[in-house]
């Protein structure tokens, strides 16, 4: 009977499962981990994570804080140290019962609707004009973009100087025409009109760019066929241009509504919402309540801001409903 040699190498006992070596995972687990890392779902979440972090930090959290401010009675001390008592809807009741609320809401609606109407109409007219094509068309179109490219504080300051009652260039030209000086920014009858004119001037380039891009997608064969049928330029506009431009027009108007509802800096620089409340809108009133005095009212100011958000949301839902009706 033979015996094993004492110096023969010893084999480790066989096991049914592979064991980690030096703390490393077996090859099967490593392959599974690599498959997970390479999966499309993991890659999608990887690309989505920065966007979610950005939305959470700069949209969701500020919105939560604004809602919290509007539902509590905050003072300067409690705003810094915390512990503000819960007040429910008291801030909203205080805002709605304030006489300024009706004036600010009416001014906001007038400022928004008049601005959008003229911005769209003038932007569409310029887009049709430039779409015809002529020498220097691209140069002139680029010049029309200057109001949109300028910092808003520069535009507002320029219009404030132009509307100055004593040394403004607008009153200078009116004087040449034999018209008396107009107190554009110091008269309750003209202050809102002044800021509306400035806002229209700033918003025309945006409408021009969007509508001009929409016109380029309309086939030229339609206009040629309409010309052969004897359609005039006005008939071509109403039968071809305007209907086919409706989806682009809807987007333009919606974006203009959302932007114009929250215009603050232009009005604040030019008139600060005055004189009195003649040019006060919800955005300027919200700022004045929260930051415009030595004893700020954070809760009511946040409540006005939330009402403004609800108005913008209502316009957005209205747009979605209209779009569904058109596609149905």
């Amino acid at each position: 009977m033979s015996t094993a040699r004492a110096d023969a190498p010893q084999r480790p006992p066989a096991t049914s499962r592979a064991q980690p070596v030096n703390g490393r995972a077996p090859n099967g687990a490593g392959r599974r981990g690599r498959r997970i890392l390479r999966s499309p779902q993991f890659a999608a979440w990887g690309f989505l994570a920065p966007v979610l972090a950005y939305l959470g930090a700069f949209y969701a959290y500020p919105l939560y804080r604004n809602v919290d401010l509007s539902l509590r009675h905050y003072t300067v001390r409690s705003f810094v140290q915390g512990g503000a008592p819960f007040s429910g809807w008291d801030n909203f009741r205080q805002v709605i019962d304030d006489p300024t609320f009706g004036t600010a809401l009416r001014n906001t609606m007038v400022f928004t609707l008049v601005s959008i109407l003229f911005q769209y109409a003038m932007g569409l007219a310029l887009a049709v004009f430039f779409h015809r094509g002529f020498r220097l068309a691209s140069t002139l179109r680029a010049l029309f973009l200057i109001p949109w490219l300028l910092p808003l504080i520069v535009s507002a300051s320029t219009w404030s100087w132009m509307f100055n009652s004593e040394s403004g260039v607008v009153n200078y030209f009116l004087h040449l025409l034999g018209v008396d000086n107009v107190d554009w920014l110091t008269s309750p009858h003209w202050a809102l009109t002044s800021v509306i004119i400035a806002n229209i001037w700033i918003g025309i380039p945006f409408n021009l760019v969007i509508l001009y891009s929409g016109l380029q997608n309309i086939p030229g064969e339609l206009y040629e066929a309409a010309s052969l049928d004897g359609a005039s330029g006005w008939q071509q506009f109403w039968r071809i241009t305007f209907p086919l431009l409706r989806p682009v027009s809807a987007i333009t108007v919606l974006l203009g509504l959302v932007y114009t509802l929250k215009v603050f800096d232009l009005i604040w620089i030019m008139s600060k919402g005055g004189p009195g409340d003649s040019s006060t809108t919800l955005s300027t009133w919200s700022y004045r309540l929260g930051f415009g005095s030595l004893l700020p009212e954070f809760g009511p100011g946040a409540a006005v801001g939330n009402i403004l958000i609800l108005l913008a949301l209502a316009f957005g839902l209205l747009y979605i409903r209209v779009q569904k009706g058109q596609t149905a």
Side-chain angles (χ1 to χ4, degrees), residues 4 12 24 38 50-51 117 162 185 193 207 226 232 287 292 301 324:
R24 291 181 294 182
R38 294 175 182 175
V51 178
L117 176 62
M162 292 173 61
L185 298 176
T193 302
N207 287 261
S232 63
Y287 179 84
K324 287 183 177 180

Side-chain angles (χ1 to χ4, degrees), residues 78-145:
S78 60
F79 184 80
V80 176
Q81 298 181 355
F86 183 78
S87 60
W89 302 103
D90 290 347
N91 291 321
F92 289 91
R93 295 191 191 97
Q94 177 183 339
V95 164
I96 295 175
D97 292 340
D98 195 305
T100 307
F101 176 75
T103 303
L105 182 61
R106 183 181 66 252
N107 290 343
T108 301
M109 293 295 101
V110 172
F111 178 82
T112 302
L113 297 179
V114 174
S115 295
I116 292 301
L117 176 62
F118 280 92
Q119 286 174 356
Y120 177 79
M122 299 177 72
L124 179 59
L126 289 171
V128 173
F129 174 71
F130 285 118
H131 184 62
R132 294 181 177 181
F134 55 90
R135 293 183 60 183
L136 301 179
S138 58
T139 303
L140 292 176
R141 194 168 66 248
L143 291 176
F144 269 98
L145 294 179

Side-chain angles (χ1 to χ4, degrees), residues 197-278:
I197 293 174
N199 190 63
I200 291 173
W201 179 79
I202 292 173
I204 288 175
F206 171 78
N207 287 261
L208 168 61
V209 171
I210 303 298
L211 296 173
Y212 181 80
S213 64
L215 287 174
Q216 290 181 313
N217 294 325
I218 299 178
E221 293 80 3
L222 296 177
Y223 295 103
E224 295 177 2
S227 298
L228 294 176
D229 291 339
S232 63
W234 189 250
Q235 290 174 330
Q236 292 179 25
F237 175 79
W238 280 112
R239 300 292 179 85
I240 300 175
T241 304
F242 195 71
L244 294 181
L245 207 60
R246 190 175 299 167
V248 179
S249 299
I251 292 292
T252 305
V253 172
L254 174 65
L255 294 176
L257 281 171
V258 174
Y259 172 77
T260 309
L261 274 174
K262 61 184 182 62
V263 168
F264 160 75
D265 34 15
L266 175 71
I267 302 174
W268 191 258
I269 293 172
M270 291 184 64
S271 67
K272 288 184 170 58
D277 293 327
S278 59

Side-chain angles (χ1 to χ4, degrees), residues 163-174:
F163 280 135
N164 187 277
S165 301
E166 303 297 330
S167 58
V169 66
V170 176
N171 277 345
Y172 173 76
F173 284 109
L174 291 178

